[in-house]
């Protein structure tokens, strides 16, 4: 089976999930903005801030990042340094991309693994937030899921760049 066929299969399975998770991230962004506005208004005019708004904002911000990083990769929205690589032949560019994607997949896998391990530790230790007493592990598992999706999107890009490097 060619790299292209494998990439397309992974793409068909993963990209809809990435899109849905990204939409959840957008919903969290709207919720975070509303929470911040209501908290500021309550603090300024009624001397009544929302309890735990800082904690909720922290968690929502982290989830927004992890839920959107895979979609950003699909859109090729990440910053890339192409000053040197753009002078290479298209095959050398594809090989360079393959190496970068492979390293990125490794780092993404490592981050996913460590987030899951940390979630397990916080679950077993019954760690929770200081004000709202929310357990930490669900947020860590959600971040790990977003990181896993990002790694799978990188896998698709890796396979496509290998296919591109194979062609003369």
């Amino acid at each position: 089976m060619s790299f292209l066929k494998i990439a397309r299969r992974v793409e068909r399975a993963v990209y809809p999930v990435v899109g849905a998770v990204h939409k959840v991230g957008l919903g969290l962004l709207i919720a975070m903005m509303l929470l911040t506005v209501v908290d500021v208004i309550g603090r300024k005019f009624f001397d009544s801030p929302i309890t735990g708004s800082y904690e909720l904002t922290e968690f929502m911000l982290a989830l927004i990042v992890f839920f959107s990083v895979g979609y950003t990769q699909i859109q090729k929205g990440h910053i890339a340094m192409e000053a040197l690589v753009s002078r290479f032949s298209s095959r050398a560019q594809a090989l360079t991309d393959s190496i970068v994607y492979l390293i990125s997949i490794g780092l993404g896998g490592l981050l996913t693994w460590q987030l899951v391990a940390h979630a397990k530790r916080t679950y077993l230790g019954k760690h929770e937030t200081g004000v709202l007493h929310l357990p930490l592990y669900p947020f860590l598992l959600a971040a790990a899921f977003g990181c896993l999706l990002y790694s799978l999107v990188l896998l698709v890009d890796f396979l496509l760049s290998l296919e591109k490097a194979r062609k003369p």
Side-chain angles (χ1 to χ4, degrees), residues 77-152:
H78 293 293
I79 295 172
M81 300 295 290
E82 297 180 352
L84 178 65
V85 177
S86 63
R87 297 174 190 215
F88 295 169
S89 68
S90 61
R91 189 172 195 177
Q93 286 179 17
L95 285 171
T96 304
D97 287 345
S98 298
I99 293 167
V100 170
Y101 288 138
L102 186 60
I103 292 168
S104 298
I105 291 167
L107 291 173
L110 182 65
L111 183 57
T112 303
W113 168 46
Q114 287 302 303
L115 281 167
V116 170
H118 188 52
K120 182 180 176 185
R121 286 190 302 272
T122 59
Y123 173 75
L124 294 174
K126 297 182 178 20
H127 296 278
E128 55 187 29
T129 61
V131 176
L132 295 175
H133 303 291
L134 297 172
L136 294 177
Y137 74 91
F139 299 100
L140 292 166
L141 289 174
F145 182 65
C147 195
L148 175 66
L149 290 175
Y150 174 57
S151 298
L152 291 172

Coordinates of all heavy atoms in Angstrom, one line a residue, residues 77-152:
G77 N -1.2 26.6 9.3 CA -1.2 27.9 9.9 C 0.0 28.1 10.9 O 0.1 29.2 11.4
H78 N 0.8 27.1 11.1 CA 1.9 27.3 12.0 C 3.0 28.0 11.3 O 3.2 28.0 10.1 CB 2.4 25.9 12.5 CG 1.4 25.2 13.4 ND1 1.1 25.6 14.6 CD2 0.7 24.1 13.1 CE1 0.2 24.8 15.1 NE2 -0.1 23.9 14.3
I79 N 3.8 28.7 12.1 CA 5.0 29.4 11.6 C 6.0 28.4 11.0 O 6.3 27.4 11.7 CB 5.6 30.3 12.7 CG1 4.6 31.3 13.1 CG2 6.9 30.9 12.2 CD1 5.1 32.1 14.3
A80 N 6.5 28.7 9.8 CA 7.6 27.8 9.2 C 8.7 28.7 8.8 O 8.5 29.8 8.2 CB 7.0 27.1 8.1
M81 N 9.9 28.2 9.0 CA 11.1 28.9 8.5 C 11.5 28.3 7.2 O 12.0 27.1 7.1 CB 12.3 28.7 9.5 CG 12.0 29.3 10.9 SD 11.8 31.1 10.9 CE 13.4 31.6 10.6
E82 N 11.3 29.0 6.1 CA 11.5 28.5 4.8 C 12.6 29.2 4.0 O 12.8 28.9 2.8 CB 10.2 28.5 4.0 CG 9.1 27.7 4.6 CD 7.9 27.7 3.8 OE1 7.8 28.5 2.8 OE2 7.0 27.0 4.1
A83 N 13.4 30.0 4.6 CA 14.4 30.8 3.9 C 15.4 29.9 3.3 O 15.8 30.1 2.1 CB 15.1 31.8 4.9
L84 N 15.9 28.9 4.0 CA 16.9 28.0 3.5 C 16.3 26.9 2.6 O 16.7 26.6 1.5 CB 17.7 27.4 4.6 CG 18.8 26.4 4.2 CD1 19.9 27.1 3.4 CD2 19.4 25.8 5.5
V85 N 15.2 26.3 3.2 CA 14.6 25.1 2.6 C 14.0 25.4 1.2 O 14.0 24.6 0.3 CB 13.6 24.4 3.5 CG1 12.9 23.3 2.9 CG2 14.3 24.0 4.8
S86 N 13.5 26.6 1.0 CA 12.9 27.0 -0.2 C 13.8 27.0 -1.4 O 13.4 26.9 -2.5 CB 12.2 28.4 -0.1 OG 13.2 29.4 0.1
R87 N 15.1 27.0 -1.1 CA 16.1 26.9 -2.2 C 16.5 25.5 -2.6 O 17.2 25.3 -3.6 CB 17.4 27.6 -1.7 CG 17.2 29.1 -1.4 CD 18.4 29.8 -0.9 NE 18.0 31.1 -0.4 CZ 18.8 32.1 -0.4 NH1 20.0 32.0 -0.9 NH2 18.4 33.3 0.0
F88 N 16.0 24.5 -1.8 CA 16.2 23.1 -2.2 C 15.4 22.7 -3.3 O 14.4 23.3 -3.6 CB 15.9 22.2 -1.0 CG 16.8 22.4 0.2 CD1 16.5 21.8 1.4 CD2 18.0 23.2 0.2 CE1 17.3 22.0 2.5 CE2 18.8 23.4 1.3 CZ 18.4 22.7 2.5
S89 N 15.7 21.5 -3.9 CA 14.8 20.9 -4.9 C 13.6 20.5 -4.2 O 13.5 20.3 -3.0 CB 15.5 19.8 -5.6 OG 15.7 18.7 -4.7
S90 N 12.5 20.2 -5.0 CA 11.2 19.8 -4.4 C 11.4 18.5 -3.6 O 10.8 18.3 -2.6 CB 10.1 19.7 -5.4 OG 10.4 18.8 -6.4
R91 N 12.2 17.6 -4.2 CA 12.4 16.3 -3.5 C 13.2 16.5 -2.2 O 12.8 15.9 -1.1 CB 13.2 15.4 -4.4 CG 13.3 14.0 -3.9 CD 13.9 13.1 -4.9 NE 13.7 11.7 -4.5 CZ 14.0 10.7 -5.2 NH1 14.6 10.8 -6.3 NH2 13.8 9.5 -4.7
A92 N 14.2 17.4 -2.1 CA 14.9 17.7 -0.9 C 14.0 18.4 0.1 O 14.1 18.1 1.3 CB 16.2 18.5 -1.2
Q93 N 13.1 19.2 -0.4 CA 12.2 19.9 0.5 C 11.2 18.9 1.1 O 11.0 18.9 2.3 CB 11.3 20.9 -0.3 CG 12.1 22.2 -0.6 CD 11.2 23.1 -1.4 OE1 10.0 23.0 -1.5 NE2 11.8 24.1 -2.1
A94 N 10.8 17.9 0.3 CA 9.9 16.8 0.8 C 10.6 16.0 1.9 O 10.1 15.6 2.9 CB 9.4 16.0 -0.3
L95 N 11.9 15.7 1.6 CA 12.7 14.9 2.6 C 12.9 15.7 3.9 O 12.8 15.1 5.0 CB 14.0 14.5 2.0 CG 14.0 13.4 1.0 CD1 15.4 13.2 0.3 CD2 13.6 12.1 1.7
T96 N 13.2 17.0 3.8 CA 13.3 17.8 5.0 C 12.0 17.9 5.7 O 12.0 17.8 7.0 CB 13.7 19.3 4.5 OG1 15.0 19.2 3.8 CG2 14.0 20.1 5.7
D97 N 10.9 18.1 5.0 CA 9.6 18.1 5.7 C 9.3 16.8 6.4 O 8.8 16.7 7.5 CB 8.5 18.3 4.6 CG 8.4 19.8 4.2 OD1 9.0 20.6 4.8 OD2 7.8 20.0 3.1
S98 N 9.7 15.7 5.7 CA 9.5 14.3 6.4 C 10.3 14.2 7.7 O 9.7 13.7 8.7 CB 10.0 13.2 5.4 OG 9.3 13.2 4.2
I99 N 11.5 14.7 7.7 CA 12.3 14.6 8.9 C 11.7 15.5 10.0 O 11.5 15.1 11.2 CB 13.7 15.1 8.6 CG1 14.4 14.0 7.7 CG2 14.5 15.3 9.9 CD1 15.7 14.5 7.1
V100 N 11.2 16.7 9.6 CA 10.6 17.6 10.6 C 9.3 17.0 11.1 O 9.1 17.0 12.3 CB 10.4 19.0 10.0 CG1 9.5 19.9 10.9 CG2 11.7 19.7 9.7
Y101 N 8.5 16.5 10.2 CA 7.3 15.8 10.7 C 7.5 14.6 11.6 O 6.8 14.5 12.6 CB 6.4 15.4 9.5 CG 5.8 16.6 8.7 CD1 5.7 16.6 7.4 CD2 5.2 17.7 9.4 CE1 5.2 17.6 6.7 CE2 4.6 18.7 8.7 CZ 4.6 18.7 7.4 OH 4.1 19.7 6.7
L102 N 8.5 13.9 11.3 CA 8.8 12.7 12.1 C 9.2 13.1 13.5 O 8.8 12.5 14.5 CB 9.9 11.8 11.4 CG 10.2 10.5 12.1 CD1 9.0 9.6 12.1 CD2 11.4 9.8 11.4
I103 N 10.1 14.1 13.6 CA 10.5 14.6 14.9 C 9.3 15.2 15.6 O 9.1 15.0 16.8 CB 11.6 15.7 14.7 CG1 12.9 15.0 14.2 CG2 11.9 16.4 16.0 CD1 14.0 16.0 13.8
S104 N 8.5 15.9 14.9 CA 7.3 16.5 15.6 C 6.3 15.4 16.0 O 5.7 15.6 17.1 CB 6.6 17.4 14.6 OG 7.4 18.5 14.2
I105 N 6.1 14.4 15.3 CA 5.3 13.3 15.7 C 5.9 12.7 17.0 O 5.1 12.4 17.9 CB 5.2 12.2 14.6 CG1 4.4 12.7 13.4 CG2 4.5 10.9 15.2 CD1 4.5 11.8 12.2
G106 N 7.2 12.5 17.0 CA 7.8 11.9 18.3 C 7.6 12.8 19.5 O 7.2 12.3 20.5
L107 N 7.7 14.1 19.3 CA 7.5 15.1 20.4 C 6.0 15.1 20.8 O 5.7 15.2 22.0 CB 8.0 16.5 20.0 CG 9.5 16.6 19.9 CD1 9.9 18.0 19.3 CD2 10.2 16.3 21.2
G108 N 5.1 15.1 19.8 CA 3.7 15.1 20.1 C 3.3 13.8 20.8 O 2.5 13.8 21.7
G109 N 3.9 12.7 20.4 CA 3.6 11.4 21.1 C 4.1 11.4 22.5 O 3.4 11.0 23.5
L110 N 5.3 12.0 22.7 CA 5.9 12.1 24.0 C 5.0 13.0 24.9 O 4.8 12.7 26.1 CB 7.3 12.7 23.9 CG 8.1 12.8 25.2 CD1 8.4 11.4 25.9 CD2 9.4 13.5 25.0
L111 N 4.6 14.1 24.4 CA 3.7 15.0 25.1 C 2.4 14.4 25.5 O 1.9 14.5 26.6 CB 3.5 16.3 24.3 CG 2.7 17.4 25.0 CD1 3.3 17.8 26.4 CD2 2.6 18.6 24.1
T112 N 1.8 13.7 24.6 CA 0.5 13.0 24.8 C 0.7 11.9 25.9 O -0.1 11.9 26.9 CB 0.0 12.2 23.5 OG1 -0.1 13.2 22.5 CG2 -1.3 11.5 23.8
W113 N 1.8 11.2 25.9 CA 2.1 10.1 26.9 C 2.3 10.8 28.2 O 1.7 10.3 29.2 CB 3.3 9.4 26.4 CG 3.9 8.5 27.5 CD1 3.3 7.6 28.3 CD2 5.3 8.4 27.8 NE1 4.2 6.9 29.1 CE2 5.4 7.4 28.8 CE3 6.4 9.0 27.3 CZ2 6.6 7.1 29.4 CZ3 7.7 8.7 27.9 CH2 7.7 7.7 28.9
Q114 N 3.0 11.9 28.3 CA 3.3 12.5 29.6 C 2.0 13.2 30.2 O 1.8 13.2 31.4 CB 4.4 13.5 29.5 CG 5.8 12.8 29.4 CD 6.1 11.9 30.5 OE1 6.0 12.3 31.7 NE2 6.3 10.6 30.3
L115 N 1.2 13.7 29.3 CA -0.1 14.3 29.8 C -1.0 13.2 30.4 O -1.6 13.4 31.4 CB -0.8 15.0 28.6 CG -0.3 16.4 28.3 CD1 -0.9 16.9 27.0 CD2 -0.6 17.4 29.4
V116 N -1.0 12.1 29.7 CA -1.9 10.9 30.2 C -1.3 10.5 31.6 O -2.0 10.2 32.5 CB -2.0 9.8 29.2 CG1 -2.6 8.5 29.9 CG2 -2.8 10.2 28.0
A117 N 0.1 10.3 31.6 CA 0.7 9.9 32.9 C 0.5 10.9 34.0 O 0.2 10.5 35.2 CB 2.2 9.7 32.7
H118 N 0.5 12.2 33.7 CA 0.3 13.2 34.7 C -1.2 13.2 35.1 O -1.5 13.3 36.3 CB 0.6 14.6 34.2 CG 0.6 15.7 35.2 ND1 1.2 15.6 36.4 CD2 0.0 16.9 35.2 CE1 1.0 16.7 37.1 NE2 0.2 17.5 36.4
A119 N -2.1 12.9 34.2 CA -3.5 12.8 34.5 C -3.8 11.6 35.5 O -4.5 11.7 36.4 CB -4.4 12.6 33.2
K120 N -3.1 10.5 35.2 CA -3.2 9.4 36.1 C -2.7 9.7 37.5 O -3.4 9.4 38.5 CB -2.4 8.2 35.5 CG -2.5 6.9 36.4 CD -1.7 5.8 35.8 CE -1.7 4.6 36.6 NZ -0.8 3.5 36.1
R121 N -1.6 10.4 37.6 CA -1.1 10.8 38.9 C -2.0 11.7 39.6 O -2.2 11.6 40.8 CB 0.3 11.5 38.8 CG 1.5 10.5 38.5 CD 2.8 11.2 38.6 NE 3.0 12.4 37.7 CZ 3.4 12.3 36.5 NH1 3.7 11.2 35.9 NH2 3.5 13.4 35.8
T122 N -2.6 12.7 38.9 CA -3.5 13.6 39.6 C -4.8 12.9 40.0 O -5.4 13.3 41.0 CB -3.8 14.8 38.7 OG1 -4.4 14.4 37.5 CG2 -2.6 15.7 38.4
Y123 N -5.2 11.9 39.2 CA -6.4 11.2 39.5 C -6.2 10.3 40.8 O -7.0 10.4 41.7 CB -6.8 10.2 38.4 CG -7.9 9.3 38.7 CD1 -9.2 9.8 38.8 CD2 -7.7 8.0 39.0 CE1 -10.3 8.9 39.1 CE2 -8.7 7.1 39.3 CZ -10.0 7.6 39.4 OH -11.0 6.7 39.7
L124 N -5.1 9.6 40.8 CA -4.7 8.8 42.0 C -4.5 9.6 43.2 O -4.8 9.2 44.4 CB -3.5 7.9 41.7 CG -3.8 6.8 40.6 CD1 -2.4 6.1 40.3 CD2 -4.8 5.9 41.1
G125 N -3.9 10.8 43.1 CA -3.6 11.7 44.2 C -4.8 12.6 44.5 O -4.7 13.4 45.5
K126 N -5.9 12.5 43.8 CA -7.1 13.3 44.0 C -6.8 14.8 44.0 O -7.4 15.5 44.8 CB -7.8 12.8 45.3 CG -8.3 11.4 45.2 CD -9.1 11.0 46.5 CE -9.6 9.7 46.6 NZ -9.2 8.6 45.7
H127 N -5.9 15.2 43.1 CA -5.6 16.6 43.0 C -6.8 17.4 42.4 O -7.4 16.9 41.5 CB -4.4 16.8 42.1 CG -3.1 16.2 42.7 ND1 -2.4 16.8 43.6 CD2 -2.5 15.0 42.4 CE1 -1.3 16.0 44.0 NE2 -1.4 14.9 43.2
E128 N -7.0 18.6 43.0 CA -8.1 19.4 42.5 C -7.7 20.9 42.6 O -6.7 21.2 43.2 CB -9.4 19.1 43.3 CG -9.2 19.3 44.8 CD -10.4 18.9 45.6 OE1 -11.2 18.0 45.1 OE2 -10.6 19.4 46.7
T129 N -8.5 21.7 42.0 CA -8.2 23.1 42.0 C -8.4 23.7 43.4 O -9.2 23.1 44.2 CB -9.1 23.9 41.0 OG1 -10.5 23.7 41.3 CG2 -8.8 23.4 39.6
G130 N -7.8 24.9 43.7 CA -7.9 25.5 45.0 C -9.2 26.1 45.4 O -9.6 26.0 46.5
V131 N -9.9 26.7 44.4 CA -11.1 27.5 44.7 C -12.4 26.6 44.4 O -13.2 26.5 45.3 CB -11.1 28.8 43.9 CG1 -12.4 29.6 44.2 CG2 -9.9 29.7 44.3
L132 N -12.5 26.1 43.2 CA -13.7 25.4 42.9 C -13.6 23.9 43.2 O -14.6 23.2 43.1 CB -14.0 25.6 41.4 CG -14.3 27.0 40.9 CD1 -14.4 27.1 39.4 CD2 -15.5 27.5 41.6
H133 N -12.5 23.4 43.6 CA -12.3 22.0 43.9 C -12.7 21.1 42.7 O -13.2 20.0 42.9 CB -13.0 21.6 45.2 CG -12.7 22.4 46.4 ND1 -11.4 22.4 47.0 CD2 -13.3 23.4 47.0 CE1 -11.4 23.2 47.9 NE2 -12.5 23.9 48.0
L134 N -12.3 21.5 41.5 CA -12.5 20.7 40.3 C -11.3 19.7 40.2 O -10.2 20.1 40.5 CB -12.5 21.5 39.1 CG -13.7 22.5 39.0 CD1 -13.5 23.4 37.8 CD2 -15.0 21.8 38.9
P135 N -11.6 18.5 39.9 CA -10.5 17.5 39.6 C -9.7 18.0 38.4 O -10.2 18.5 37.4 CB -11.2 16.2 39.4 CG -12.5 16.5 39.0 CD -12.9 17.8 39.6
L136 N -8.3 17.8 38.5 CA -7.5 18.2 37.4 C -7.4 17.2 36.2 O -7.2 17.6 35.1 CB -6.1 18.4 37.9 CG -5.9 19.5 38.9 CD1 -4.4 19.6 39.4 CD2 -6.2 20.9 38.3
Y137 N -7.6 15.9 36.5 CA -7.3 14.9 35.5 C -8.2 15.0 34.2 O -7.7 14.8 33.1 CB -7.4 13.5 36.1 CG -8.7 13.0 36.4 CD1 -9.5 12.3 35.4 CD2 -9.3 13.2 37.6 CE1 -10.7 11.8 35.7 CE2 -10.6 12.8 37.9 CZ -11.3 12.1 37.0 OH -12.5 11.6 37.3
P138 N -9.5 15.5 34.3 CA -10.2 15.5 33.0 C -9.6 16.6 32.1 O -9.6 16.4 30.8 CB -11.6 15.9 33.5 CG -11.7 15.6 34.9 CD -10.3 15.7 35.4
F139 N -9.1 17.7 32.6 CA -8.5 18.7 31.7 C -7.2 18.2 31.1 O -7.0 18.5 29.9 CB -8.3 20.0 32.5 CG -9.6 20.5 33.1 CD1 -9.9 20.3 34.4 CD2 -10.4 21.3 32.3 CE1 -11.1 20.9 34.9 CE2 -11.6 21.8 32.8 CZ -12.0 21.6 34.1
L140 N -6.5 17.4 31.9 CA -5.2 16.9 31.3 C -5.5 15.8 30.3 O -4.8 15.8 29.2 CB -4.4 16.3 32.5 CG -3.8 17.3 33.5 CD1 -3.3 16.6 34.7 CD2 -2.7 18.1 32.8
L141 N -6.5 15.0 30.5 CA -6.9 14.0 29.5 C -7.4 14.7 28.2 O -7.1 14.2 27.1 CB -7.9 13.0 30.0 CG -7.4 12.1 31.1 CD1 -8.6 11.2 31.7 CD2 -6.4 11.2 30.5
A142 N -8.2 15.8 28.4 CA -8.7 16.5 27.2 C -7.5 17.1 26.4 O -7.5 17.1 25.2 CB -9.7 17.6 27.6
A143 N -6.5 17.6 27.1 CA -5.3 18.2 26.5 C -4.5 17.1 25.8 O -4.1 17.3 24.6 CB -4.4 18.9 27.5
A144 N -4.5 15.9 26.4 CA -3.8 14.8 25.8 C -4.5 14.4 24.5 O -3.8 14.0 23.5 CB -3.7 13.6 26.7
F145 N -5.8 14.4 24.5 CA -6.6 14.0 23.3 C -6.3 15.0 22.2 O -6.1 14.6 21.0 CB -8.1 14.0 23.7 CG -8.9 13.6 22.5 CD1 -8.9 12.3 21.9 CD2 -9.8 14.5 22.0 CE1 -9.7 11.9 20.9 CE2 -10.7 14.1 20.9 CZ -10.6 12.9 20.4
G146 N -6.3 16.3 22.5 CA -6.0 17.3 21.5 C -4.6 17.1 20.9 O -4.3 17.2 19.7
C147 N -3.6 16.8 21.8 CA -2.2 16.5 21.4 C -2.1 15.3 20.5 O -1.4 15.2 19.5 CB -1.4 16.4 22.6 SG 0.4 16.6 22.2
L148 N -2.9 14.2 20.8 CA -2.9 13.0 20.0 C -3.5 13.3 18.6 O -2.9 12.9 17.6 CB -3.8 12.0 20.7 CG -4.0 10.7 19.9 CD1 -2.7 9.9 19.7 CD2 -5.1 9.8 20.6
L149 N -4.5 14.1 18.6 CA -5.1 14.5 17.3 C -4.1 15.3 16.4 O -3.9 15.0 15.2 CB -6.4 15.3 17.4 CG -7.6 14.6 18.0 CD1 -8.7 15.5 18.2 CD2 -8.0 13.4 17.0
Y150 N -3.3 16.1 17.1 CA -2.3 16.9 16.4 C -1.2 16.0 15.8 O -0.8 16.1 14.7 CB -1.7 17.9 17.4 CG -0.5 18.7 16.8 CD1 -0.6 19.4 15.6 CD2 0.7 18.6 17.5 CE1 0.5 20.1 15.2 CE2 1.8 19.3 17.0 CZ 1.7 20.0 15.8 OH 2.8 20.7 15.4
S151 N -0.8 15.0 16.6 CA 0.2 14.0 16.2 C -0.3 13.2 15.0 O 0.4 12.9 14.1 CB 0.5 13.1 17.3 OG 1.1 13.8 18.4
L152 N -1.6 12.9 15.0 CA -2.2 12.1 13.8 C -2.3 13.0 12.6 O -2.0 12.5 11.5 CB -3.6 11.6 14.2 CG -3.6 10.5 15.3 CD1 -5.0 10.1 15.7 CD2 -2.8 9.2 14.8

